[in-house]
Amino acid sequence: MINVVVSGCNGAMGRVLTKAIEEMGDMTIVAGIDKNINSYKNTYPVYKSPLLVKEECDVIIDFSKPSNLNGLLEYSVNNNIALVIATTGFSEEEEHKIKEASKFTRIFKSSNMSLGVNVLINLSKQATNTLGNITDIEIIEKHHNKKVDAPSGTAKMIANAINKELDDSMEFNYGRSGNDAKRKEKEIGIHAIRGGTIPGEHTVIFAGLDEIVEIKHTALSKKVFAQGAIKAAQYILNKENGLYDMNNLINNN
């Protein structure tokens, strides 16, 4: 039995993850972490900070906010607990802290836990190798109206992966606007749409001379992210200290 602590357990993704784990036979939630500890009547104890957790666990799955990072890293490192980070919106300094902490514990981090999205990223890299120098590249992401960060962490993942294939020669243009907004040659446009209850949609456009190639992924519910996080937790459990991502899981290395 894999004992799990869910960070952000009373948030939208935390509730979906809780339900998914409760339906499993080989994984159980021993505790939750959430600043709003009384939002729901959970079947497990909920603490405001990971440093207050008393139960023994094997892995923490985090769907919360960047402000919780320091406590999660401290708890993970001090107790040798594997950590799955599905939270987005980290600063460069926070990304550095995650990388440093991974020297002392196992951390799996992805801005998108969907296996399908990571296939989209790999397909986009392949398309870039053929079309990158002869097309204009644009990325459009759509999410629900309660999402805090923009553009999405996934859109940034896609843009960075494409840019790497182009030797980091491109500049990112976030939401083109104005009377002098003609597209630059070395530019990747990134556009964020917020509305309704859209779980997540990402489209990569390669627009060339008289032809357009689009690669698109649509999440129909938040369940795909919960299932991906569960797979990540199972994958990282017995790994050596280090920083892992979806490419490691997909390629099983």
Side-chain angles (χ1 to χ4, degrees):
M1 184 68 69
I2 300 174
N3 293 331
V4 182
V5 169
V6 176
S7 173
C9 61
N10 289 337
M13 269 309 310
R15 299 305 302 161
V16 174
L17 180 62
T18 292
K19 185 176 180 180
I21 293 176
E22 287 178 344
E23 293 173 353
M24 299 179 65
D26 60 349
M27 187 175 281
T28 186
I29 302 175
V30 296
I33 304 167
D34 203 292
K35 291 183 178 179
N36 300 312
I37 60 174
N38 296 317
S39 298
Y40 291 92
K41 188 176 181 180
N42 296 289
T43 57
Y44 48 80
V46 179
Y47 303 92
K48 287 189 176 183
S49 166
L51 303 179
L52 299 175
V53 174
K54 304 172 185 177
E55 289 71 17
E56 292 187 5
C57 74
D58 302 303
V59 60
I60 305 170
I61 302 178
D62 174 48
F63 278 102
S64 61
K65 295 180 179 180
S67 58
N68 298 318
L69 179 65
N70 288 341
L72 288 169
L73 293 179
E74 182 178 345
Y75 181 84
S76 176
V77 169
N78 289 346
N79 296 281
N80 192 29
I81 303 298
L83 174 61
V84 175
I85 300 177
T87 298
T88 62
F90 292 111
S91 65
E92 288 187 14
E93 181 183 354
E94 289 166 335
E95 294 282 2
H96 178 71
K97 287 181 178 179
I98 293 170
K99 188 174 182 179
E100 287 298 305
S102 71
K103 296 176 181 178
F104 307 100
T105 188
R106 296 94 72 210
I107 299 178
F108 188 108
K109 180 183 178 297
S110 178
S111 296
N112 193 303
M113 286 291 166
S114 162
L115 294 175
V117 157
N118 287 275
V119 170
L120 175 144
I121 292 173
N122 288 332
L123 290 174
S124 297
K125 290 165 65 175
Q126 292 179 37
T128 300
N129 288 327
T130 302
L131 303 172
N133 292 318
I134 59 173
T135 61
D136 297 324
I137 304 172
E138 300 280 309
I139 300 169
I140 302 173
E141 58 97 342
K142 304 177 184 178
H143 284 88
H144 53 88
N145 58 21
K146 298 188 185 304
K147 184 170 177 61
V148 178
D149 57 314
S152 68
T154 302
K156 293 178 181 178
M157 280 176 63
I158 298 168
N160 287 327
I162 290 173
N163 200 19
K164 188 175 181 180
E165 297 299 310
L166 296 170
D167 299 320
D168 292 322
S169 62
M170 308 296 278
E171 294 184 2
F172 299 155
N173 189 333
Y174 300 101
R176 198 176 290 104
S177 65
N179 295 322
D180 186 22
K182 182 179 178 180
R183 197 182 199 284
K184 298 178 182 178
E185 183 178 350
K186 293 289 187 179
E187 177 181 291
I188 297 176
I190 306 175
H191 312 279
I193 294 172
R194 297 289 176 266
T197 58
I198 304 171
E201 181 179 295
H202 293 84
T203 304
V204 185
I205 302 171
F206 296 85
L209 183 62
D210 297 328
E211 66 176 350
I212 301 170
V213 174
E214 292 190 8
I215 305 173
K216 180 179 179 179
H217 175 272
T218 303
L220 300 179
S221 80
K222 295 180 184 295
K223 292 179 182 178
V224 296
F225 309 122
Q227 291 300 328
I230 289 170
K231 289 182 182 297
Q234 294 168 330
Y235 166 82
I236 198 177
L237 202 57
N238 296 314
K239 292 293 182 181
E240 296 180 357
N241 292 346
L243 185 58
Y244 301 84
D245 59 24
M246 273 294 177
N247 280 327
N248 298 117
L249 191 156
I250 292 171
N251 296 317
N252 195 27
N253 58 27

